[in-house]
Amino acid sequence: MQPAQLAIPCVAALGLLLFVSGFFVSVTRARFWTLHAGANDPAHALTKAVRAHGNTAEYAAFLALLIWLAGQHSQAAWVGWTMLAATVSRYAFVAGMLLSPTLAKPHPLRAVGAFGTYLCGPALCVALLLG
């Protein structure tokens, strides 16, 4: 898989995840007629939506930058697979947050997404250093 061909779709997918999750927070706030309800309840839909979006905001932008740069500077197939895995990991993480009955207990998709992010992010950094 050529990194240059994957960079734009992966960056676009991360951007879409960020903006759709932000919109979902707004819809969920409207559904509960509140700006803050659920903030202390790990099982509340608004809490889960806010944390899923917040975590996406924390990681998506830098992953997008890494993906874009790695796509421009590396021809190694493993970099392309890593870019794709990083993007899928972020989607798995958000799905795990939203599908979980409560954030107080682990969800398999959340764990897979976090592990994938923690593995792929540093790998993309190494790809940039290797050129």
Side-chain angles (χ1 to χ4, degrees), residues 40-114:
N40 295 323
D41 181 3
H44 196 283
L46 183 54
T47 301
K48 293 188 288 185
V50 166
R51 283 311 315 137
H53 174 65
N55 192 277
T56 298
E58 292 166 359
Y59 284 95
F62 201 78
L63 277 175
L65 177 63
L66 288 172
I67 287 168
W68 177 255
L69 290 172
Q72 303 308 306
H73 297 287
S74 178
Q75 298 299 315
W78 72 267
V79 174
W81 287 107
T82 304
M83 292 162 44
L84 186 59
T87 304
V88 170
S89 293
R90 294 316 306 158
Y91 273 82
F93 184 87
V94 169
M97 295 280 281
L98 297 177
L99 296 173
S100 178
T102 177
L103 298 180
K105 295 182 180 176
H107 187 280
L109 283 174
R110 184 177 171 190
V112 167

Side-chain angles (χ1 to χ4, degrees), residues 1 3 6 8 11 16 18-19 28 31 39 41 43 62 70 75 83-84 87 91 94 101 108 113 115 121 125 127-128:
M1 212 172 279
L6 282 175
I8 290 175
V11 169
L16 187 63
L18 178 67
F19 293 112
T28 305
R31 191 174 107 208
D41 181 3
F62 201 78
Q75 298 299 315
M83 292 162 44
L84 186 59
T87 304
Y91 273 82
V94 169
F115 180 74
C125 292
L128 289 178

